[in-house]
Every structure is written in C-alpha cells, then in structure tokens.
Amino acid sequence: FVFVPDRNDPGLNSLPKPAISDMFVKEFKELVPNSVFTSNPCRIKFFEKEILVFKQNLAKSLNRYCILDPLEEIEFSDQFTSTLLS
C-alpha cells in the first residue's frame, strides 16, 4: 500500500509535499507492515517502468482559473478531458 499526502493532511501546504510524519502513522504501520507513506509527487519503479504519482484536484484548479464559463450543453468532465488532452 502506497499512501500519498493530500493538501488537507498534516504538514506543509506546498508542493512537493513531504510524507506524513511517522508520529501520525506509527500505529497504522504496525497494523499494515507493507504500507509506505511517501511524498507528493513521488516516483514508483515497477520492474522496468517508472510511475509518477501526483495527487491534486486539477478539475477544481482549472475551474478556478477559467476565463470563459464552461459550455452548458457539454458536460464538464468532457471539457476537462478535452483540455487535458490538448
């Protein structure tokens, strides 16, 4: 199990966000010995592949900084996907 901190977790509220302190997760690690608490963002190496994990609410950020109102006839998730892909 890999746990990546969120903006609401204890610690600094900036990126990169350090891993959650052992003080908060000590008991959990005893119950789940294979758990890893890492930073946000982090890289996970899986055989020959490298996976980048970045936890952020991008939809909320894009909506906050949008210049034009989203089109009502097109669903927000479709517009969000189109923006990311372009």
Side-chain angles (χ1 to χ4, degrees), residues 55-67:
K55 189 173 181 182
Q56 175 95 12
N57 189 346
L58 292 176
K60 185 177 180 181
S61 297
L62 285 175
N63 199 18
R64 182 182 325 141
Y65 298 114
C66 73
I67 297 171

PDB file of all heavy atoms in Angstrom, residues 55-67:
ATOM      1  N   LYS A  55      -0.889  13.862  -6.636  1.00  0.00           N
ATOM      2  CA  LYS A  55      -2.251  13.994  -6.140  1.00  0.00           C
ATOM      3  C   LYS A  55      -2.627  15.468  -6.053  1.00  0.00           C
ATOM      4  O   LYS A  55      -2.064  16.212  -5.260  1.00  0.00           O
ATOM      5  CB  LYS A  55      -2.360  13.329  -4.771  1.00  0.00           C
ATOM      6  CG  LYS A  55      -3.749  13.205  -4.262  1.00  0.00           C
ATOM      7  CD  LYS A  55      -3.759  12.380  -2.993  1.00  0.00           C
ATOM      8  CE  LYS A  55      -5.160  12.210  -2.478  1.00  0.00           C
ATOM      9  NZ  LYS A  55      -5.180  11.449  -1.237  1.00  0.00           N
ATOM     10  N   GLN A  56      -3.556  15.875  -6.903  1.00  0.00           N
ATOM     11  CA  GLN A  56      -4.006  17.272  -6.947  1.00  0.00           C
ATOM     12  C   GLN A  56      -5.385  17.287  -7.581  1.00  0.00           C
ATOM     13  O   GLN A  56      -5.652  16.543  -8.520  1.00  0.00           O
ATOM     14  CB  GLN A  56      -3.038  18.106  -7.782  1.00  0.00           C
ATOM     15  CG  GLN A  56      -3.456  19.522  -8.007  1.00  0.00           C
ATOM     16  CD  GLN A  56      -2.840  20.472  -7.006  1.00  0.00           C
ATOM     17  OE1 GLN A  56      -1.942  20.090  -6.292  1.00  0.00           O
ATOM     18  NE2 GLN A  56      -3.307  21.682  -6.967  1.00  0.00           N
ATOM     19  N   ASN A  57      -6.262  18.119  -7.110  1.00  0.00           N
ATOM     20  CA  ASN A  57      -7.585  18.257  -7.696  1.00  0.00           C
ATOM     21  C   ASN A  57      -7.485  19.222  -8.877  1.00  0.00           C
ATOM     22  O   ASN A  57      -7.699  20.425  -8.736  1.00  0.00           O
ATOM     23  CB  ASN A  57      -8.586  18.751  -6.662  1.00  0.00           C
ATOM     24  CG  ASN A  57     -10.007  18.694  -7.169  1.00  0.00           C
ATOM     25  OD1 ASN A  57     -10.241  18.529  -8.359  1.00  0.00           O
ATOM     26  ND2 ASN A  57     -10.952  18.833  -6.263  1.00  0.00           N
ATOM     27  N   LEU A  58      -7.144  18.683 -10.043  1.00  0.00           N
ATOM     28  CA  LEU A  58      -6.933  19.518 -11.220  1.00  0.00           C
ATOM     29  C   LEU A  58      -8.224  20.147 -11.726  1.00  0.00           C
ATOM     30  O   LEU A  58      -8.213  21.268 -12.217  1.00  0.00           O
ATOM     31  CB  LEU A  58      -6.278  18.700 -12.334  1.00  0.00           C
ATOM     32  CG  LEU A  58      -4.845  18.251 -12.063  1.00  0.00           C
ATOM     33  CD1 LEU A  58      -4.353  17.378 -13.199  1.00  0.00           C
ATOM     34  CD2 LEU A  58      -3.934  19.445 -11.887  1.00  0.00           C
ATOM     35  N   ALA A  59      -9.334  19.435 -11.595  1.00  0.00           N
ATOM     36  CA  ALA A  59     -10.603  19.983 -12.063  1.00  0.00           C
ATOM     37  C   ALA A  59     -10.949  21.255 -11.291  1.00  0.00           C
ATOM     38  O   ALA A  59     -11.388  22.249 -11.877  1.00  0.00           O
ATOM     39  CB  ALA A  59     -11.715  18.957 -11.919  1.00  0.00           C
ATOM     40  N   LYS A  60     -10.731  21.237  -9.992  1.00  0.00           N
ATOM     41  CA  LYS A  60     -11.024  22.413  -9.175  1.00  0.00           C
ATOM     42  C   LYS A  60     -10.089  23.575  -9.542  1.00  0.00           C
ATOM     43  O   LYS A  60     -10.513  24.725  -9.642  1.00  0.00           O
ATOM     44  CB  LYS A  60     -10.872  22.061  -7.702  1.00  0.00           C
ATOM     45  CG  LYS A  60     -11.267  23.151  -6.767  1.00  0.00           C
ATOM     46  CD  LYS A  60     -11.159  22.675  -5.322  1.00  0.00           C
ATOM     47  CE  LYS A  60     -11.553  23.746  -4.343  1.00  0.00           C
ATOM     48  NZ  LYS A  60     -11.422  23.286  -2.950  1.00  0.00           N
ATOM     49  N   SER A  61      -8.812  23.270  -9.769  1.00  0.00           N
ATOM     50  CA  SER A  61      -7.851  24.309 -10.134  1.00  0.00           C
ATOM     51  C   SER A  61      -8.184  24.921 -11.493  1.00  0.00           C
ATOM     52  O   SER A  61      -8.132  26.144 -11.662  1.00  0.00           O
ATOM     53  CB  SER A  61      -6.437  23.742 -10.168  1.00  0.00           C
ATOM     54  OG  SER A  61      -6.054  23.300  -8.906  1.00  0.00           O
ATOM     55  N   LEU A  62      -8.522  24.071 -12.466  1.00  0.00           N
ATOM     56  CA  LEU A  62      -8.868  24.585 -13.791  1.00  0.00           C
ATOM     57  C   LEU A  62     -10.136  25.423 -13.740  1.00  0.00           C
ATOM     58  O   LEU A  62     -10.241  26.449 -14.409  1.00  0.00           O
ATOM     59  CB  LEU A  62      -9.036  23.429 -14.778  1.00  0.00           C
ATOM     60  CG  LEU A  62      -7.762  22.764 -15.261  1.00  0.00           C
ATOM     61  CD1 LEU A  62      -8.104  21.556 -16.126  1.00  0.00           C
ATOM     62  CD2 LEU A  62      -6.892  23.732 -16.023  1.00  0.00           C
ATOM     63  N   ASN A  63     -11.090  24.988 -12.958  1.00  0.00           N
ATOM     64  CA  ASN A  63     -12.349  25.724 -12.854  1.00  0.00           C
ATOM     65  C   ASN A  63     -12.137  27.083 -12.181  1.00  0.00           C
ATOM     66  O   ASN A  63     -12.774  28.068 -12.535  1.00  0.00           O
ATOM     67  CB  ASN A  63     -13.373  24.897 -12.077  1.00  0.00           C
ATOM     68  CG  ASN A  63     -14.777  25.366 -12.309  1.00  0.00           C
ATOM     69  OD1 ASN A  63     -15.047  26.071 -13.268  1.00  0.00           O
ATOM     70  ND2 ASN A  63     -15.681  24.972 -11.440  1.00  0.00           N
ATOM     71  N   ARG A  64     -11.213  27.148 -11.222  1.00  0.00           N
ATOM     72  CA  ARG A  64     -10.946  28.400 -10.513  1.00  0.00           C
ATOM     73  C   ARG A  64     -10.327  29.431 -11.439  1.00  0.00           C
ATOM     74  O   ARG A  64     -10.592  30.625 -11.341  1.00  0.00           O
ATOM     75  CB  ARG A  64     -10.004  28.136  -9.341  1.00  0.00           C
ATOM     76  CG  ARG A  64      -9.723  29.393  -8.529  1.00  0.00           C
ATOM     77  CD  ARG A  64      -8.745  29.174  -7.394  1.00  0.00           C
ATOM     78  NE  ARG A  64      -8.855  27.876  -6.777  1.00  0.00           N
ATOM     79  CZ  ARG A  64      -7.815  27.161  -6.361  1.00  0.00           C
ATOM     80  NH1 ARG A  64      -6.598  27.624  -6.493  1.00  0.00           N
ATOM     81  NH2 ARG A  64      -7.979  25.992  -5.790  1.00  0.00           N
ATOM     82  N   TYR A  65      -9.469  29.003 -12.356  1.00  0.00           N
ATOM     83  CA  TYR A  65      -8.734  29.942 -13.202  1.00  0.00           C
ATOM     84  C   TYR A  65      -9.296  30.054 -14.627  1.00  0.00           C
ATOM     85  O   TYR A  65      -8.642  30.611 -15.495  1.00  0.00           O
ATOM     86  CB  TYR A  65      -7.264  29.542 -13.262  1.00  0.00           C
ATOM     87  CG  TYR A  65      -6.591  29.594 -11.915  1.00  0.00           C
ATOM     88  CD1 TYR A  65      -6.133  28.444 -11.302  1.00  0.00           C
ATOM     89  CD2 TYR A  65      -6.430  30.807 -11.248  1.00  0.00           C
ATOM     90  CE1 TYR A  65      -5.522  28.496 -10.049  1.00  0.00           C
ATOM     91  CE2 TYR A  65      -5.828  30.864 -10.005  1.00  0.00           C
ATOM     92  CZ  TYR A  65      -5.380  29.707  -9.415  1.00  0.00           C
ATOM     93  OH  TYR A  65      -4.787  29.757  -8.177  1.00  0.00           O
ATOM     94  N   CYS A  66     -10.488  29.526 -14.867  1.00  0.00           N
ATOM     95  CA  CYS A  66     -11.025  29.586 -16.229  1.00  0.00           C
ATOM     96  C   CYS A  66     -11.419  31.019 -16.582  1.00  0.00           C
ATOM     97  O   CYS A  66     -11.868  31.794 -15.743  1.00  0.00           O
ATOM     98  CB  CYS A  66     -12.195  28.626 -16.401  1.00  0.00           C
ATOM     99  SG  CYS A  66     -13.700  29.130 -15.603  1.00  0.00           S
ATOM    100  N   ILE A  67     -11.223  31.374 -17.822  1.00  0.00           N
ATOM    101  CA  ILE A  67     -11.547  32.711 -18.309  1.00  0.00           C
ATOM    102  C   ILE A  67     -12.983  32.754 -18.814  1.00  0.00           C
ATOM    103  O   ILE A  67     -13.719  33.693 -18.543  1.00  0.00           O
ATOM    104  CB  ILE A  67     -10.563  33.127 -19.425  1.00  0.00           C
ATOM    105  CG1 ILE A  67      -9.159  33.206 -18.854  1.00  0.00           C
ATOM    106  CG2 ILE A  67     -10.975  34.449 -20.035  1.00  0.00           C
ATOM    107  CD1 ILE A  67      -8.089  33.395 -19.895  1.00  0.00           C
TER     108      ILE A  67
END
